[in-house]
Amino acid sequence: GVGKSFLAQMMFEYGLEKNIFNKNSRFIIVNCSEYSNNPELFLTNLFGSKKGAYTGADKNSEGLIRLADKGMLFLDEIHCLLPECQEKLFLFMDKGIYHMVGDNDKWYSAEEHLVFATTEDPQKVLLKTLYRRIPIVANIPPLSDRPIQEKKEIIIHFLKAEAENIDKEIYVSHRLFNAFVDFEFSENVGQLLNCIRACIANAYVEMLDYNSNKIELDIQDLPDYIIQGLTNKKKVLHFNKQKMLSLADLIIEQREDSKLYLYNRDLIDLF
């Protein structure tokens, strides 16, 4: 929930903008957890298979590596791969070649960018040979470890996206916005987004006029577990419930907060 898949997608889109990839390049996603107990199926899907390789293989089947050629292959939850799968993946990373399942005589080649994601310590769950072939390792911090300013920006971004999705103006009470900021989401950005969507759904159900173009979100629209888990519950509930902020108001307020934050940071640096 910290944004690993989102970052991979942004890397691919950046590659398209900078002509690292061409217009026909593909972004292929593989969730390795689906193959944790079935390495044969993983290797078949990854490298492809020849006709007659197994029962029911009545034709050649291209693997995901071939589909991602000249593009990007994103392997999520890579810690779920068994060592034998990691070894074959390492060979492809090292030489750019591979065997299709059922065809050990012919080598095939492909060229693509590989991105891995894991919720575990990669040095503990990956083979050393594979880990050494990964040139860049980025640790993405949980939402609770990110600056408040960044957290506010993420909240506003999601509110804007949801307003566009439902084609309505969203207004947020001061205390609800601060509840979003205060709560420690154990499942990070993904849980925050689900919480915002739940609030909008709850507020929509309570609307008296469904034809209205305006939805007002307040503290009562939060899921119960959020209210119970607020670390500064009294402080959050103290905010004026009558004050509703539009997304434009939130953006302006956020910009002013950012200026104040930078000003204070520079003062501390000078001191």
Side-chain angles (χ1 to χ4, degrees), residues 148-206:
I148 290 179
Q149 293 302 117
E150 181 180 350
K151 200 171 181 179
K152 289 181 177 179
E153 289 175 4
I154 293 172
I155 294 168
I156 294 173
H157 170 77
F158 284 152
L159 288 170
K160 287 177 62 180
E162 292 306 306
E164 293 175 2
N165 287 339
I166 63 176
D167 194 25
K168 289 187 182 295
E169 296 178 11
I170 292 179
Y171 286 75
V172 181
S173 71
H174 227 149
R175 63 180 186 176
L176 177 64
F177 187 78
N178 281 277
F180 285 144
V181 174
D182 175 80
F183 187 77
E184 291 191 6
F185 293 93
S186 59
E187 297 176 22
N188 299 295
V189 180
Q191 187 182 13
L192 169 61
L193 176 57
N194 288 337
C195 179
I196 289 174
R197 287 174 172 169
C199 283
I200 294 173
N202 290 336
Y204 187 78
V205 169
E206 296 297 326

Short mmCIF file of all heavy atoms in Angstrom, two decimals, residues 148-206:
data_model
loop_
_atom_site.label_atom_id
_atom_site.label_comp_id
_atom_site.label_asym_id
_atom_site.label_seq_id
_atom_site.Cartn_x
_atom_site.Cartn_y
_atom_site.Cartn_z
N ILE A 148 4.20 15.52 7.04
CA ILE A 148 2.77 15.87 7.06
C ILE A 148 2.38 16.59 5.77
O ILE A 148 1.29 16.36 5.24
CB ILE A 148 2.46 16.74 8.29
CG1 ILE A 148 2.57 15.90 9.57
CG2 ILE A 148 1.06 17.36 8.19
CD1 ILE A 148 2.29 16.66 10.84
N GLN A 149 3.27 17.44 5.26
CA GLN A 149 2.96 18.17 4.04
C GLN A 149 2.71 17.22 2.88
O GLN A 149 1.78 17.40 2.09
CB GLN A 149 4.11 19.12 3.68
CG GLN A 149 4.30 20.26 4.65
CD GLN A 149 3.06 21.12 4.77
OE1 GLN A 149 2.47 21.21 5.84
NE2 GLN A 149 2.63 21.72 3.68
N GLU A 150 3.51 16.18 2.78
CA GLU A 150 3.33 15.20 1.70
C GLU A 150 2.03 14.43 1.90
O GLU A 150 1.29 14.16 0.94
CB GLU A 150 4.51 14.23 1.66
CG GLU A 150 4.39 13.20 0.54
CD GLU A 150 5.55 12.23 0.50
OE1 GLU A 150 6.55 12.48 1.21
OE2 GLU A 150 5.45 11.24 -0.23
N LYS A 151 1.73 14.09 3.15
CA LYS A 151 0.50 13.37 3.45
C LYS A 151 -0.71 14.21 3.05
O LYS A 151 -1.68 13.69 2.47
CB LYS A 151 0.45 13.05 4.95
CG LYS A 151 -0.49 11.92 5.32
CD LYS A 151 -0.30 11.53 6.78
CE LYS A 151 -1.23 10.39 7.16
NZ LYS A 151 -1.05 9.98 8.57
N LYS A 152 -0.67 15.50 3.33
CA LYS A 152 -1.78 16.38 2.95
C LYS A 152 -1.92 16.45 1.43
O LYS A 152 -3.05 16.44 0.91
CB LYS A 152 -1.55 17.78 3.53
CG LYS A 152 -1.72 17.88 5.04
CD LYS A 152 -1.49 19.30 5.52
CE LYS A 152 -1.73 19.42 7.03
NZ LYS A 152 -1.50 20.80 7.52
N GLU A 153 -0.81 16.50 0.74
CA GLU A 153 -0.85 16.56 -0.72
C GLU A 153 -1.48 15.29 -1.30
O GLU A 153 -2.25 15.35 -2.28
CB GLU A 153 0.56 16.76 -1.29
CG GLU A 153 1.14 18.14 -1.02
CD GLU A 153 2.58 18.25 -1.48
OE1 GLU A 153 3.09 17.27 -2.08
OE2 GLU A 153 3.20 19.30 -1.24
N ILE A 154 -1.15 14.15 -0.71
CA ILE A 154 -1.73 12.88 -1.18
C ILE A 154 -3.24 12.87 -0.95
O ILE A 154 -4.01 12.44 -1.82
CB ILE A 154 -1.06 11.69 -0.45
CG1 ILE A 154 0.40 11.57 -0.88
CG2 ILE A 154 -1.80 10.38 -0.75
CD1 ILE A 154 1.20 10.54 -0.08
N ILE A 155 -3.68 13.34 0.21
CA ILE A 155 -5.11 13.38 0.53
C ILE A 155 -5.85 14.26 -0.47
O ILE A 155 -6.89 13.88 -1.02
CB ILE A 155 -5.33 13.89 1.97
CG1 ILE A 155 -4.77 12.88 2.97
CG2 ILE A 155 -6.81 14.13 2.24
CD1 ILE A 155 -4.66 13.41 4.39
N ILE A 156 -5.32 15.45 -0.73
CA ILE A 156 -5.95 16.37 -1.67
C ILE A 156 -5.98 15.76 -3.08
O ILE A 156 -6.98 15.88 -3.80
CB ILE A 156 -5.22 17.73 -1.67
CG1 ILE A 156 -5.40 18.42 -0.31
CG2 ILE A 156 -5.74 18.63 -2.79
CD1 ILE A 156 -4.58 19.69 -0.15
N HIS A 157 -4.90 15.11 -3.45
CA HIS A 157 -4.84 14.47 -4.77
C HIS A 157 -5.95 13.44 -4.93
O HIS A 157 -6.64 13.40 -5.97
CB HIS A 157 -3.47 13.80 -4.95
CG HIS A 157 -3.38 12.92 -6.16
ND1 HIS A 157 -3.23 13.42 -7.44
CD2 HIS A 157 -3.45 11.57 -6.29
CE1 HIS A 157 -3.20 12.42 -8.30
NE2 HIS A 157 -3.33 11.29 -7.64
N PHE A 158 -6.15 12.60 -3.90
CA PHE A 158 -7.20 11.58 -3.97
C PHE A 158 -8.60 12.22 -3.99
O PHE A 158 -9.49 11.75 -4.71
CB PHE A 158 -7.09 10.63 -2.79
CG PHE A 158 -5.97 9.63 -2.92
CD1 PHE A 158 -5.36 9.10 -1.79
CD2 PHE A 158 -5.53 9.20 -4.16
CE1 PHE A 158 -4.34 8.16 -1.91
CE2 PHE A 158 -4.51 8.28 -4.29
CZ PHE A 158 -3.91 7.75 -3.16
N LEU A 159 -8.80 13.26 -3.20
CA LEU A 159 -10.09 13.94 -3.19
C LEU A 159 -10.41 14.54 -4.57
O LEU A 159 -11.55 14.45 -5.04
CB LEU A 159 -10.11 15.03 -2.13
CG LEU A 159 -10.16 14.57 -0.66
CD1 LEU A 159 -9.91 15.75 0.28
CD2 LEU A 159 -11.51 13.92 -0.35
N LYS A 160 -9.41 15.13 -5.20
CA LYS A 160 -9.62 15.69 -6.54
C LYS A 160 -9.96 14.59 -7.54
O LYS A 160 -10.86 14.76 -8.38
CB LYS A 160 -8.35 16.43 -6.99
CG LYS A 160 -8.11 17.76 -6.31
CD LYS A 160 -6.80 18.38 -6.76
CE LYS A 160 -6.79 18.67 -8.23
NZ LYS A 160 -5.50 19.29 -8.66
N ALA A 161 -9.24 13.47 -7.45
CA ALA A 161 -9.49 12.36 -8.38
C ALA A 161 -10.90 11.81 -8.21
O ALA A 161 -11.59 11.52 -9.20
CB ALA A 161 -8.45 11.26 -8.17
N GLU A 162 -11.34 11.66 -6.94
CA GLU A 162 -12.68 11.13 -6.69
C GLU A 162 -13.76 12.11 -7.12
O GLU A 162 -14.82 11.71 -7.60
CB GLU A 162 -12.84 10.77 -5.21
CG GLU A 162 -11.97 9.58 -4.77
CD GLU A 162 -12.20 8.37 -5.64
OE1 GLU A 162 -13.36 7.94 -5.79
OE2 GLU A 162 -11.21 7.83 -6.17
N ALA A 163 -13.51 13.41 -6.96
CA ALA A 163 -14.46 14.43 -7.41
C ALA A 163 -14.67 14.34 -8.92
O ALA A 163 -15.79 14.48 -9.42
CB ALA A 163 -13.98 15.82 -7.01
N GLU A 164 -13.58 14.09 -9.64
CA GLU A 164 -13.68 13.93 -11.09
C GLU A 164 -14.42 12.65 -11.45
O GLU A 164 -15.21 12.62 -12.40
CB GLU A 164 -12.29 13.95 -11.71
CG GLU A 164 -11.57 15.30 -11.61
CD GLU A 164 -10.16 15.26 -12.13
OE1 GLU A 164 -9.74 14.17 -12.61
OE2 GLU A 164 -9.46 16.28 -12.06
N ASN A 165 -14.18 11.59 -10.68
CA ASN A 165 -14.82 10.30 -10.97
C ASN A 165 -16.33 10.37 -10.82
O ASN A 165 -17.07 9.78 -11.62
CB ASN A 165 -14.26 9.21 -10.05
CG ASN A 165 -12.84 8.80 -10.42
OD1 ASN A 165 -12.41 9.02 -11.55
ND2 ASN A 165 -12.12 8.22 -9.47
N ILE A 166 -16.80 11.06 -9.78
CA ILE A 166 -18.25 11.11 -9.52
C ILE A 166 -18.89 12.37 -10.09
O ILE A 166 -20.10 12.54 -10.01
CB ILE A 166 -18.54 11.01 -8.01
CG1 ILE A 166 -17.95 12.23 -7.26
CG2 ILE A 166 -18.00 9.72 -7.43
CD1 ILE A 166 -18.29 12.23 -5.77
N ASP A 167 -18.04 13.26 -10.66
CA ASP A 167 -18.52 14.48 -11.30
C ASP A 167 -19.35 15.34 -10.34
O ASP A 167 -20.44 15.79 -10.67
CB ASP A 167 -19.35 14.15 -12.55
CG ASP A 167 -19.58 15.39 -13.43
OD1 ASP A 167 -18.76 16.32 -13.35
OD2 ASP A 167 -20.59 15.41 -14.16
N LYS A 168 -18.80 15.52 -9.13
CA LYS A 168 -19.44 16.38 -8.15
C LYS A 168 -18.38 17.18 -7.41
O LYS A 168 -17.22 16.76 -7.34
CB LYS A 168 -20.27 15.56 -7.15
CG LYS A 168 -21.53 14.94 -7.74
CD LYS A 168 -22.38 14.29 -6.67
CE LYS A 168 -23.61 13.64 -7.26
NZ LYS A 168 -24.55 14.65 -7.85
N GLU A 169 -18.80 18.33 -6.87
CA GLU A 169 -17.90 19.13 -6.05
C GLU A 169 -17.86 18.54 -4.63
O GLU A 169 -18.90 18.25 -4.06
CB GLU A 169 -18.37 20.58 -5.99
CG GLU A 169 -18.36 21.29 -7.33
CD GLU A 169 -18.87 22.72 -7.21
OE1 GLU A 169 -19.04 23.19 -6.07
OE2 GLU A 169 -19.12 23.34 -8.26
N ILE A 170 -16.65 18.37 -4.12
CA ILE A 170 -16.49 17.80 -2.78
C ILE A 170 -16.04 18.88 -1.81
O ILE A 170 -15.08 19.61 -2.08
CB ILE A 170 -15.48 16.64 -2.80
CG1 ILE A 170 -16.05 15.45 -3.57
CG2 ILE A 170 -15.11 16.21 -1.38
CD1 ILE A 170 -15.11 14.26 -3.66
N TYR A 171 -16.75 18.98 -0.69
CA TYR A 171 -16.38 19.89 0.39
C TYR A 171 -16.04 19.04 1.62
O TYR A 171 -16.72 18.05 1.91
CB TYR A 171 -17.52 20.85 0.72
CG TYR A 171 -17.69 21.94 -0.32
CD1 TYR A 171 -18.28 21.65 -1.55
CD2 TYR A 171 -17.28 23.25 -0.06
CE1 TYR A 171 -18.44 22.65 -2.51
CE2 TYR A 171 -17.45 24.25 -1.02
CZ TYR A 171 -18.02 23.94 -2.24
OH TYR A 171 -18.17 24.91 -3.18
N VAL A 172 -15.00 19.43 2.32
CA VAL A 172 -14.50 18.65 3.45
C VAL A 172 -14.43 19.54 4.69
O VAL A 172 -13.94 20.67 4.62
CB VAL A 172 -13.09 18.07 3.15
CG1 VAL A 172 -12.58 17.25 4.32
CG2 VAL A 172 -13.12 17.25 1.88
N SER A 173 -14.91 19.02 5.81
CA SER A 173 -14.79 19.79 7.06
C SER A 173 -13.34 19.79 7.52
O SER A 173 -12.58 18.87 7.22
CB SER A 173 -15.69 19.19 8.14
OG SER A 173 -15.16 17.95 8.58
N HIS A 174 -13.00 20.83 8.26
CA HIS A 174 -11.64 20.95 8.76
C HIS A 174 -11.27 19.75 9.62
O HIS A 174 -10.17 19.21 9.54
CB HIS A 174 -11.50 22.25 9.57
CG HIS A 174 -10.28 23.03 9.22
ND1 HIS A 174 -10.23 24.39 9.28
CD2 HIS A 174 -9.06 22.64 8.78
CE1 HIS A 174 -9.03 24.82 8.91
NE2 HIS A 174 -8.31 23.77 8.60
N ARG A 175 -12.20 19.32 10.46
CA ARG A 175 -11.88 18.23 11.38
C ARG A 175 -11.76 16.89 10.66
O ARG A 175 -10.97 16.04 11.07
CB ARG A 175 -12.92 18.17 12.49
CG ARG A 175 -14.35 17.86 12.06
CD ARG A 175 -15.26 17.84 13.26
NE ARG A 175 -16.61 17.41 12.92
CZ ARG A 175 -17.57 17.23 13.83
NH1 ARG A 175 -17.30 17.46 15.11
NH2 ARG A 175 -18.77 16.83 13.47
N LEU A 176 -12.50 16.69 9.56
CA LEU A 176 -12.35 15.45 8.81
C LEU A 176 -10.99 15.41 8.13
O LEU A 176 -10.30 14.38 8.14
CB LEU A 176 -13.46 15.33 7.76
CG LEU A 176 -13.34 14.09 6.85
CD1 LEU A 176 -13.48 12.82 7.66
CD2 LEU A 176 -14.36 14.13 5.73
N PHE A 177 -10.61 16.54 7.53
CA PHE A 177 -9.31 16.59 6.86
C PHE A 177 -8.19 16.29 7.84
O PHE A 177 -7.25 15.54 7.53
CB PHE A 177 -9.10 17.96 6.22
CG PHE A 177 -7.87 18.05 5.36
CD1 PHE A 177 -7.85 17.51 4.09
CD2 PHE A 177 -6.71 18.66 5.84
CE1 PHE A 177 -6.71 17.57 3.30
CE2 PHE A 177 -5.57 18.74 5.07
CZ PHE A 177 -5.57 18.19 3.79
N ASN A 178 -8.29 16.85 9.04
CA ASN A 178 -7.25 16.61 10.04
C ASN A 178 -7.30 15.18 10.60
O ASN A 178 -6.29 14.66 11.06
CB ASN A 178 -7.36 17.63 11.17
CG ASN A 178 -6.77 18.97 10.78
OD1 ASN A 178 -5.57 19.20 10.87
ND2 ASN A 178 -7.63 19.87 10.31
N ALA A 179 -8.48 14.56 10.53
CA ALA A 179 -8.57 13.15 10.92
C ALA A 179 -7.81 12.28 9.91
O ALA A 179 -7.11 11.34 10.30
CB ALA A 179 -10.04 12.72 10.99
N PHE A 180 -7.95 12.61 8.62
CA PHE A 180 -7.18 11.90 7.60
C PHE A 180 -5.68 12.03 7.87
O PHE A 180 -4.91 11.07 7.74
CB PHE A 180 -7.49 12.46 6.20
CG PHE A 180 -8.82 12.05 5.64
CD1 PHE A 180 -9.56 12.95 4.88
CD2 PHE A 180 -9.33 10.79 5.85
CE1 PHE A 180 -10.78 12.59 4.35
CE2 PHE A 180 -10.56 10.42 5.32
CZ PHE A 180 -11.29 11.31 4.58
N VAL A 181 -5.26 13.24 8.22
CA VAL A 181 -3.83 13.50 8.45
C VAL A 181 -3.34 12.80 9.72
O VAL A 181 -2.24 12.24 9.75
CB VAL A 181 -3.58 15.02 8.56
CG1 VAL A 181 -2.13 15.31 8.93
CG2 VAL A 181 -3.94 15.71 7.24
N ASP A 182 -4.17 12.78 10.75
CA ASP A 182 -3.76 12.26 12.06
C ASP A 182 -3.71 10.75 12.11
O ASP A 182 -2.83 10.17 12.76
CB ASP A 182 -4.73 12.77 13.13
CG ASP A 182 -4.45 12.18 14.50
OD1 ASP A 182 -3.51 12.67 15.16
OD2 ASP A 182 -5.14 11.22 14.89
N PHE A 183 -4.63 10.07 11.42
CA PHE A 183 -4.74 8.62 11.56
C PHE A 183 -3.55 7.90 10.93
O PHE A 183 -3.08 8.28 9.86
CB PHE A 183 -6.04 8.13 10.90
CG PHE A 183 -6.33 6.68 11.15
CD1 PHE A 183 -6.83 6.25 12.36
CD2 PHE A 183 -6.08 5.74 10.16
CE1 PHE A 183 -7.10 4.91 12.59
CE2 PHE A 183 -6.34 4.41 10.37
CZ PHE A 183 -6.85 3.99 11.59
N GLU A 184 -3.06 6.87 11.61
CA GLU A 184 -1.96 6.07 11.08
C GLU A 184 -2.53 4.87 10.32
O GLU A 184 -2.99 3.89 10.92
CB GLU A 184 -1.03 5.60 12.21
CG GLU A 184 -0.25 6.73 12.85
CD GLU A 184 0.84 6.22 13.78
OE1 GLU A 184 1.06 4.99 13.82
OE2 GLU A 184 1.47 7.05 14.45
N PHE A 185 -2.52 4.95 9.01
CA PHE A 185 -3.07 3.91 8.17
C PHE A 185 -2.07 2.76 8.05
O PHE A 185 -1.02 2.89 7.43
CB PHE A 185 -3.40 4.46 6.78
CG PHE A 185 -4.53 5.45 6.78
CD1 PHE A 185 -4.27 6.82 6.90
CD2 PHE A 185 -5.84 5.04 6.69
CE1 PHE A 185 -5.31 7.74 6.91
CE2 PHE A 185 -6.88 5.95 6.70
CZ PHE A 185 -6.62 7.29 6.81
N SER A 186 -2.41 1.62 8.65
CA SER A 186 -1.50 0.48 8.67
C SER A 186 -1.24 -0.06 7.26
O SER A 186 -0.19 -0.63 6.99
CB SER A 186 -2.06 -0.64 9.56
OG SER A 186 -3.33 -1.06 9.09
N GLU A 187 -2.22 0.12 6.37
CA GLU A 187 -2.06 -0.35 4.99
C GLU A 187 -1.74 0.80 4.05
O GLU A 187 -1.94 0.71 2.84
CB GLU A 187 -3.31 -1.09 4.55
CG GLU A 187 -3.56 -2.35 5.38
CD GLU A 187 -4.86 -3.06 5.02
OE1 GLU A 187 -5.36 -2.84 3.89
OE2 GLU A 187 -5.37 -3.82 5.85
N ASN A 188 -1.29 1.89 4.64
CA ASN A 188 -0.68 2.99 3.91
C ASN A 188 -1.61 3.67 2.91
O ASN A 188 -2.79 3.85 3.17
CB ASN A 188 0.62 2.51 3.25
CG ASN A 188 1.61 2.04 4.29
OD1 ASN A 188 2.08 2.82 5.10
ND2 ASN A 188 1.92 0.75 4.28
N VAL A 189 -1.05 4.03 1.74
CA VAL A 189 -1.77 4.86 0.78
C VAL A 189 -3.03 4.16 0.28
O VAL A 189 -4.07 4.80 0.09
CB VAL A 189 -0.85 5.22 -0.41
CG1 VAL A 189 -1.59 6.08 -1.42
CG2 VAL A 189 0.39 5.95 0.08
N GLY A 190 -2.95 2.84 0.08
CA GLY A 190 -4.12 2.11 -0.39
C GLY A 190 -5.28 2.20 0.58
O GLY A 190 -6.44 2.37 0.18
N GLN A 191 -5.01 2.08 1.87
CA GLN A 191 -6.06 2.17 2.88
C GLN A 191 -6.62 3.59 2.97
O GLN A 191 -7.82 3.79 3.17
CB GLN A 191 -5.54 1.72 4.24
CG GLN A 191 -6.61 1.62 5.31
CD GLN A 191 -6.06 1.23 6.67
OE1 GLN A 191 -4.84 1.25 6.89
NE2 GLN A 191 -6.94 0.86 7.58
N LEU A 192 -5.75 4.59 2.84
CA LEU A 192 -6.20 5.98 2.84
C LEU A 192 -7.19 6.22 1.71
O LEU A 192 -8.25 6.82 1.90
CB LEU A 192 -5.00 6.92 2.70
CG LEU A 192 -5.31 8.40 2.43
CD1 LEU A 192 -6.13 9.00 3.57
CD2 LEU A 192 -4.03 9.18 2.21
N LEU A 193 -6.87 5.74 0.52
CA LEU A 193 -7.77 5.91 -0.63
C LEU A 193 -9.10 5.21 -0.37
O LEU A 193 -10.17 5.77 -0.66
CB LEU A 193 -7.12 5.36 -1.89
CG LEU A 193 -7.98 5.38 -3.16
CD1 LEU A 193 -8.47 6.80 -3.46
CD2 LEU A 193 -7.20 4.81 -4.34
N ASN A 194 -9.07 3.99 0.17
CA ASN A 194 -10.31 3.28 0.46
C ASN A 194 -11.15 4.03 1.49
O ASN A 194 -12.38 4.07 1.41
CB ASN A 194 -10.00 1.87 0.97
CG ASN A 194 -9.48 0.96 -0.13
OD1 ASN A 194 -9.74 1.21 -1.30
ND2 ASN A 194 -8.76 -0.07 0.24
N CYS A 195 -10.48 4.65 2.47
CA CYS A 195 -11.18 5.41 3.50
C CYS A 195 -11.87 6.63 2.89
O CYS A 195 -13.03 6.93 3.22
CB CYS A 195 -10.20 5.83 4.59
SG CYS A 195 -10.94 6.80 5.92
N ILE A 196 -11.18 7.33 2.00
CA ILE A 196 -11.76 8.49 1.34
C ILE A 196 -12.98 8.08 0.51
O ILE A 196 -14.03 8.74 0.54
CB ILE A 196 -10.71 9.20 0.46
CG1 ILE A 196 -9.67 9.90 1.35
CG2 ILE A 196 -11.36 10.20 -0.49
CD1 ILE A 196 -8.51 10.50 0.60
N ARG A 197 -12.86 6.97 -0.20
CA ARG A 197 -13.99 6.49 -1.00
C ARG A 197 -15.17 6.10 -0.12
O ARG A 197 -16.33 6.34 -0.47
CB ARG A 197 -13.54 5.31 -1.86
CG ARG A 197 -12.65 5.72 -3.02
CD ARG A 197 -12.09 4.52 -3.76
NE ARG A 197 -11.39 4.93 -4.97
CZ ARG A 197 -10.63 4.12 -5.70
NH1 ARG A 197 -10.46 2.86 -5.32
NH2 ARG A 197 -10.03 4.56 -6.79
N ALA A 198 -14.87 5.49 1.03
CA ALA A 198 -15.94 5.10 1.96
C ALA A 198 -16.66 6.34 2.50
O ALA A 198 -17.89 6.35 2.62
CB ALA A 198 -15.36 4.28 3.11
N CYS A 199 -15.92 7.39 2.82
CA CYS A 199 -16.51 8.64 3.30
C CYS A 199 -17.44 9.23 2.26
O CYS A 199 -18.56 9.68 2.58
CB CYS A 199 -15.41 9.65 3.65
SG CYS A 199 -14.58 9.34 5.20
N ILE A 200 -16.98 9.25 1.02
CA ILE A 200 -17.81 9.82 -0.06
C ILE A 200 -19.08 9.00 -0.23
O ILE A 200 -20.18 9.55 -0.40
CB ILE A 200 -16.99 9.87 -1.37
CG1 ILE A 200 -15.83 10.87 -1.22
CG2 ILE A 200 -17.89 10.25 -2.54
CD1 ILE A 200 -14.87 10.87 -2.39
N ALA A 201 -18.95 7.67 -0.18
CA ALA A 201 -20.13 6.81 -0.32
C ALA A 201 -21.12 7.03 0.82
O ALA A 201 -22.33 7.12 0.61
CB ALA A 201 -19.70 5.34 -0.37
N ASN A 202 -20.59 7.14 2.05
CA ASN A 202 -21.47 7.38 3.21
C ASN A 202 -22.18 8.72 3.11
O ASN A 202 -23.38 8.83 3.41
CB ASN A 202 -20.65 7.31 4.51
CG ASN A 202 -20.17 5.92 4.82
OD1 ASN A 202 -20.76 4.93 4.36
ND2 ASN A 202 -19.10 5.81 5.59
N ALA A 203 -21.45 9.74 2.69
CA ALA A 203 -22.05 11.07 2.56
C ALA A 203 -23.10 11.09 1.45
O ALA A 203 -24.14 11.74 1.58
CB ALA A 203 -20.96 12.11 2.29
N TYR A 204 -22.83 10.37 0.38
CA TYR A 204 -23.76 10.34 -0.75
C TYR A 204 -25.08 9.68 -0.34
O TYR A 204 -26.17 10.14 -0.72
CB TYR A 204 -23.14 9.59 -1.92
CG TYR A 204 -23.98 9.65 -3.18
CD1 TYR A 204 -23.98 10.79 -3.98
CD2 TYR A 204 -24.76 8.57 -3.58
CE1 TYR A 204 -24.74 10.86 -5.14
CE2 TYR A 204 -25.54 8.63 -4.72
CZ TYR A 204 -25.52 9.77 -5.50
OH TYR A 204 -26.28 9.83 -6.64
N VAL A 205 -24.99 8.61 0.45
CA VAL A 205 -26.19 7.91 0.91
C VAL A 205 -27.07 8.84 1.75
O VAL A 205 -28.31 8.76 1.72
CB VAL A 205 -25.81 6.65 1.71
CG1 VAL A 205 -27.02 6.06 2.42
CG2 VAL A 205 -25.19 5.61 0.79
N GLU A 206 -26.42 9.73 2.52
CA GLU A 206 -27.16 10.61 3.42
C GLU A 206 -27.64 11.89 2.75
O GLU A 206 -28.31 12.71 3.37
CB GLU A 206 -26.25 10.98 4.61
CG GLU A 206 -25.85 9.81 5.48
CD GLU A 206 -27.06 9.15 6.15
OE1 GLU A 206 -28.02 9.89 6.47
OE2 GLU A 206 -27.05 7.91 6.32
#
